[in-house]
Amino acid sequence: MAALVNSESRRAIRQFLGDNFTSLDSLELVDDLLKEEERTHAQLEQEAAVASKTTQSLVAEASSVADSVHSKAMHLIDVHSKVVGSTADESVSAWEFRDGTAVMELVSKLAAELQTYRRLRQAKEYIDEFIEIEKVAEQAAQSMEKSPQGVLSAYSASIALLSKHSSDSEITGNIFAQNLLEYIKHTVSNIWANAETTAANAQSECLRKMGWPGKIDPPVSVLGEFGANFSMLASLDHITRDASKVLRQSGVQLQSEDAPPLPLKHMARAVDIRMRYHFESARGTSRADRPEWWLSQVMNMVRSLVPLLELHVQSLYDRSALPPLDVRNEFIRLIQPIIQHKLAHDRSDYISNGLVIAHVSRELSEFEHTLQDVYFFDGPSVLDAFLADSDIFSAWVNAERKSAIDSYMETIADPGAFKQLYEDEVLDRDDPKPTRIAQNVVMLISDIAERYAVVPSCMQQLQFLSTTQFPVVIALVEDVEGEIDEFSRISLAFIRDASSNVSGSGANSPFAAQLRRLASWYQTVWYVEEAARDWNDSTIYVDMWAAVCRHARALGGDADPRDWRDECDDWGEKDRKVLDDCATLGTNEEWLDGGIWERTIKTLGELKQRILELMSRAINKDTVGQLRAYRKKANWASEGVGADADVEVSIELSGLLPELSQLVSVLSELLPFSGSAYLLRSLAAELDMFLVDRVASAHQFNSSGGWQFAMDVSAISRVLHASAGGSALQGPSGQLLAKAMECARILSCSLDGEELPGNSDMTLSLSEWAPAILDAATDDKEAMLVLGKLGVKHLSIEQIRQLVKRRVDFAATFSSPEMF
């Protein structure tokens, strides 16, 4: 037993006893320790059993693996014998290979031989594929000039090889397979490029033989040659489209998915080559400011090709396998990028000289309308794309605005800016007579509108209107208002001074000159106002008004289309769609009578009225100023005044009446009838009030003085009526100077029916009706009914009583205190 316990076991036992039995009392724990150790032992035995089963399983598996290795080794021996040309040693049995070292050496040797074999086999396959693709390339090269079908066959074969190798799952990580695939892709691209170039060049040569770009007159032989090349390109295109998925997966980009038909593309390319040679080079024909040169050349080339397209190319295309289309329309569509390229080439010139853009846009519009009207082209608009360039559009707008403002400022700075352009005999009186500045404004606005009328976008047209045209009218309004303000400050200087007569007389007086100045402003504003009314009804502005109404309706709420100018600077793409959507007309009856120039017309009308009112104030002040002496006349009640039947007007009016007559004549020359009538009605109202308040109601009269007053009023009235049909000048109350005439009727009424020279036309004498009027007990309404029958309808009862009291002869006869 002692021999079985070695020194290390003893040390372990001592360690165990020392750790667990440190005193005699701890011996009581022996039983517990033994039980614990027994449990530990049992657990270890269980783990040992599990390990034993696992070991047995692993041994069985290892044995199986060893048998498999032995079987594979025997197979490798057979392979080895085939590779090196020897036979297997039949005396070698399976048990002789139990030595692992020998087996592994043999396996390594056989694996190396097998790898060599595999490399040789791959090399052979690579060489076979390479030879095949080389044969395809050689076939294509040999057939290029002689056999289009051979080229197409080779091209199809190359795509088939590409499809085969691009789908090979072993290509990843295999450098040989990758290199082969790249070579096939290169071959496919070369065959495509060579075939396309050869057929395209041959097609272009056929066009040249036909006489293009001049008038085409194709011989039959050339037509056949052209058809062969066209069909070659069409077939090449068809094969490529069918193989688009394979080409895309292989990373071969021969043409875009939306590429045009290949034969038509090369027909358009012939146009492109000539365009670039003549108009995008250093030649003298390459000028940005002469778009009509190159657009006319493009149109001529299209015109010469269209018969060929319609008579021959369409049938050739229909026989191809390409998707059906109208070759004429497609060919014209292929011309569009050529035009866009030319526009892009000259873009910097357009931006530096914005007014050229207007010319280019006009020529482009006419070019496109010809294509649409003559050749029924329904493709996209180059003009739309051209003006969609914000830099191009801004350059045009800015140039138009600067040119318009510069022209306006140059004209308004001329001292003769408001001078009438035509003699009075040239235009009818009721036609507005243009001044230099008025005609300049109208021509500027009309010319700008004519230039941007070709702009397809209604939103851009509105931006033109807001930015280039309205500022010109606004400038005119501000300048005229400035002139009016200045005139208003000094207008008192033109009231006549009867004592000094500083204003002269007649049509050449300073006052008449000032009236002509005011009238020139009136004619200027009137001419532009009438032009604005015409603009408001023209098609382009009606379309703009419909657009802003549509936009206001889209905004909803209380949006007013007349406020469009306040918002146009913030318009975006959403607003463009609404404004340009002419298909959605809609109705908005509230604004049917409006127009894009509505507020401008209103502003000009108000300014015109302001000028008339200023003229009216000046005329009224001047005329009333000449009546100072007449107002101070104090002999109306003197004996002998107006005693003769041949009595003339008062001497105090002898200077006024010729001046008034001259004024009427000047106004008829300077203003339309409506304007002069307004001024004369205003003057008549002013004179009527003056004669009633400052003469008739301010002096004492007898019947003779009343008759003199009546003669004076009639003389003034006749002068005012002499301007034109007198009835047309009558105001709302009827007769001119109605109150003054009634005053004259009362003041000249006979006292008791005696006959006086030129007696009043009243049927009753003053003594018959005046006492009742002056009686306080008389009802005012009844009194006015009586007076109305006597021809007094406009004066008030108080005015009439006052006038009766002014009759000194009546007062002397009827001196009752109750009356006076």
Side-chain angles (χ1 to χ4, degrees), residues 82 146-147 184 219 221 246 278 306 441 453 459 489 493 553 592 602 634 735:
K82 293 178 181 179
K146 301 177 181 179
S147 175
I184 295 174
S221 60
V246 173
H278 290 288
V306 164
V441 168
M459 187 179 88
R489 285 194 291 271
R553 185 179 182 184
L592 287 180
K602 180 181 178 183
Q735 185 181 12

Side-chain angles (χ1 to χ4, degrees), residues 477-496:
V477 170
E478 291 176 347
D479 285 333
V480 173
E481 286 180 337
E483 294 283 351
I484 292 174
D485 292 341
E486 179 66 19
F487 184 88
S488 298
R489 285 194 291 271
I490 62 175
S491 61
L492 290 177
F494 305 117
I495 299 178
R496 294 175 184 269

Side-chain angles (χ1 to χ4, degrees), residues 546-782:
V548 296
C549 288
R550 210 165 42 238
H551 187 258
R553 185 179 182 184
L555 292 176
D558 299 328
D560 189 336
R562 294 172 296 186
D563 296 332
W564 68 271
R565 195 174 175 220
D566 300 332
E567 308 163 355
C568 67
D569 291 338
D570 300 324
W571 281 343
E573 189 59 31
K574 182 178 179 182
D575 301 289
R576 176 193 288 271
K577 291 180 180 178
V578 176
L579 291 165
D580 293 351
D581 185 13
C582 297
T584 309
L585 296 178
T587 57
N588 192 338
E589 295 182 359
E590 182 180 358
W591 305 111
L592 287 180
D593 295 332
I596 208 75
W597 290 94
E598 178 181 349
R599 287 187 172 174
T600 300
I601 294 170
K602 180 181 178 183
T603 299
L604 293 170
E606 292 171 349
L607 183 58
K608 188 174 66 172
Q609 185 61 32
R610 183 183 173 191
I611 296 171
L612 280 179
E613 291 172 356
L614 184 58
M615 294 180 73
S616 176
R617 288 198 300 272
I619 292 171
N620 293 351
K621 288 179 181 179
D622 179 82
T623 304
V624 170
Q626 295 184 74
L627 290 171
R628 292 175 189 166
Y630 187 74
R631 176 174 60 84
K632 294 178 181 179
K633 180 179 179 179
N635 62 345
W636 298 106
S638 301
E639 292 296 330
V641 176
D644 297 330
D646 298 331
V647 66
E648 299 293 337
V649 297
S650 299
I651 192 171
E652 291 83 358
L653 290 181
S654 60
L656 171 67
L657 293 179
E659 290 288 338
L660 190 58
S661 177
Q662 187 65 48
L663 173 65
V664 171
S665 176
V666 168
L667 291 180
S668 66
E669 294 175 3
L670 297 179
L671 298 173
F673 179 78
S674 60
S676 61
Y678 171 85
L679 294 178
L680 293 176
R681 280 196 298 268
S682 175
L683 176 59
E686 184 74 16
L687 290 175
D688 198 22
M689 183 175 64
F690 177 87
L691 293 171
V692 172
D693 297 341
R694 307 298 295 276
V695 180
S697 300
H699 296 281
Q700 300 290 334
F701 288 84
N702 58 22
S703 59
S704 297
W707 172 243
Q708 182 66 66
F709 180 73
M711 291 289 290
D712 294 343
V713 173
S714 296
I716 295 174
S717 179
R718 284 195 300 272
V719 172
L720 294 177
H721 277 75
S723 60
S727 60
L729 293 181
Q730 294 178 1
S733 60
Q735 185 181 12
L736 290 177
L737 306 178
K739 290 184 178 182
M741 295 292 286
E742 290 179 1
C743 288
R745 185 174 291 115
I746 293 172
L747 293 175
S748 64
C749 182
S750 65
L751 180 62
D752 52 7
E754 75 275 17
E755 291 293 333
L756 293 174
N759 236 353
S760 171
D761 58 357
M762 298 185 74
T763 58
L764 298 177
S765 65
L766 192 64
S767 60
E768 291 177 314
W769 61 267
I773 296 299
L774 294 176
D775 189 353
T778 303
D779 182 70
D780 290 350
K781 291 183 178 179
E782 292 181 359

Side-chain angles (χ1 to χ4, degrees), residues 74 332 390 452 457 517 520 688 703 708 711 809:
M74 293 305 294
I332 295 175
S390 58
Y452 74 66
S457 169
R517 183 182 176 196
S520 69
D688 198 22
S703 59
Q708 182 66 66
M711 291 289 290
D809 50 356

Side-chain angles (χ1 to χ4, degrees), residues 97-116:
F97 291 93
R98 293 296 183 185
D99 184 356
T101 301
V103 171
M104 293 308 297
E105 289 177 356
L106 179 59
V107 169
S108 297
K109 184 176 180 181
L110 291 175
E113 296 291 346
L114 183 60
Q115 186 66 24
T116 301

Side-chain angles (χ1 to χ4, degrees), residues 499-576:
S499 60
S500 62
N501 195 29
V502 295
S503 291
S505 63
N508 297 322
S509 67
F511 179 71
Q514 294 303 323
L515 288 181
R516 287 189 174 87
R517 183 182 176 196
L518 287 166
S520 69
W521 300 340
Y522 180 91
Q523 293 286 356
T524 296
V525 176
W526 183 28
Y527 186 77
V528 177
E529 179 193 23
E530 290 300 311
R533 294 184 187 278
D534 293 338
W535 297 331
N536 215 36
D537 296 331
S538 63
T539 302
I540 184 172
Y541 297 114
V542 168
D543 291 343
M544 289 188 199
W545 178 244
V548 296
C549 288
R550 210 165 42 238
H551 187 258
R553 185 179 182 184
L555 292 176
D558 299 328
D560 189 336
R562 294 172 296 186
D563 296 332
W564 68 271
R565 195 174 175 220
D566 300 332
E567 308 163 355
C568 67
D569 291 338
D570 300 324
W571 281 343
E573 189 59 31
K574 182 178 179 182
D575 301 289
R576 176 193 288 271

